[in-house]
Amino acid sequence: MKDIYEKLYGLLTEWNGKFNLTAIKSKEDFEIKHIRDSMLGLPFINGKVLDVGSGAGFPGLVIKIEKPECDVTLIDSVRKKTDYLTAVIDELGLSGIRAVHTRVEDIKEKESFDTVTARAVAPFVTLVEYCLPFVRLGGAMVAYKSSETEEELAAAGYAISLLGGKLEKNELFDLDENTKRRILVIRKVKHTPPGYPRKGNKPRTSPCIR
């Protein structure tokens, strides 16, 4: 493991003792379920990147470490998480990356990111509404989902089309003998209509399902 990931593991362990940032605590699980997992999306990620719901910083931190040419914005609605991420960015000496405490629906930079990533437990239809409005035309949303997402993907079909996307990649990977990860790439092929993502938690409570 790279020295920078050794240092990141130490910082995560230290901060995890104060706040519950992640349930993944062993070094082996950290390497597989955070680092190796984050790397799966790298072939589809470039340019100006927005990582939605960054949490403990994955995949956003790994994107910056492995692709230093990317400009990365990490956002999370929980202040203690963005405080942690800001401290990590400083400790690791990373540049061209920042952590912002905000809700995604409050971001003003619509259709201005080359790549928007999400490694979250929200239903895919919800993630689509939170991510696609911020992807520029020709850019991509890259979602890290569990292996069992076929029903979620089907349910999100209307939202993908409505918000200007088209499914480009649906790939299943083996992280280890017990863990699989699905990477979904949605290409932005037309502009998102005004008003998305909707405020008031509507993407979660009233998802765009026809």
Side-chain angles (χ1 to χ4, degrees), residues 34 54 62 64 117 140 180 184 190 205:
H34 278 328
S54 293
V62 176
K64 186 65 204 183
T117 57
K180 295 182 184 294
L184 298 170
K190 61 182 180 180
T205 61

Side-chain angles (χ1 to χ4, degrees), residues 3-200:
D3 289 347
I4 194 167
Y5 290 129
E6 293 280 0
K7 190 170 183 179
L8 176 55
Y9 176 69
L11 289 166
L12 181 58
T13 301
E14 177 187 344
W15 280 72
N16 217 32
K18 308 172 192 176
F19 312 116
N20 184 26
L21 292 168
T22 176
I24 295 171
K25 296 180 179 179
S26 76
K27 182 176 283 190
E28 181 181 6
D29 280 349
F30 169 80
E31 291 181 16
I32 295 170
K33 296 179 181 179
H34 278 328
I35 306 306
R36 192 185 303 172
D37 184 41
S38 295
M39 289 182 177
L40 293 177
L42 291 178
F44 316 109
I45 295 168
N46 62 78
K48 185 180 178 184
V49 179
L50 175 67
D51 186 30
V52 174
S54 293
F58 305 100
L61 290 172
V62 176
I63 293 168
K64 186 65 204 183
I65 291 167
E66 297 297 324
K67 290 192 160 186
E69 71 277 10
C70 287
D71 181 86
V72 181
T73 299
L74 314 173
I75 66 165
D76 203 282
S77 61
V78 179
R79 169 72 73 177
K80 67 182 181 181
K81 293 180 179 178
T82 54
D83 287 347
Y84 159 74
L85 291 170
T86 297
V88 167
I89 289 166
D90 183 58
E91 288 286 335
L92 298 183
L94 300 175
S95 61
I97 180 172
R98 73 231 31 101
V100 180
H101 174 236
T102 186
R103 296 181 64 86
V104 65
E105 56 265 44
D106 293 329
I107 297 176
K108 307 299 183 187
E109 301 172 82
K110 299 287 182 68
E111 298 194 329
S112 63
F113 293 89
D114 298 294
T115 314
V116 179
T117 57
R119 183 176 176 257
V121 295
F124 189 55
V125 64
T126 299
L127 291 182
V128 166
E129 183 168 348
Y130 279 143
C131 295
L132 264 184
F134 301 98
V135 180
R136 67 163 179 81
L137 208 60
M141 170 189 174
V142 179
Y144 294 67
K145 294 293 292 178
S146 68
S147 59
E148 304 300 324
T149 57
E150 293 303 323
E151 287 186 11
E152 282 190 49
L153 185 57
Y158 173 67
I160 292 170
S161 178
L162 172 68
L163 300 175
K166 181 179 181 181
L167 179 65
E168 182 173 278
K169 294 280 186 182
N170 178 359
E171 296 194 17
L172 187 64
F173 298 89
D174 291 315
L175 275 175
D176 59 25
E177 63 271 17
N178 300 314
T179 312
K180 295 182 184 294
R181 167 66 79 195
R182 190 176 297 278
I183 299 292
L184 298 170
V185 179
I186 309 297
R187 185 66 56 189
K188 187 71 168 282
V189 295
K190 61 182 180 180
H191 293 293
T192 299
Y196 293 96
R198 294 166 294 160
K199 294 182 180 290

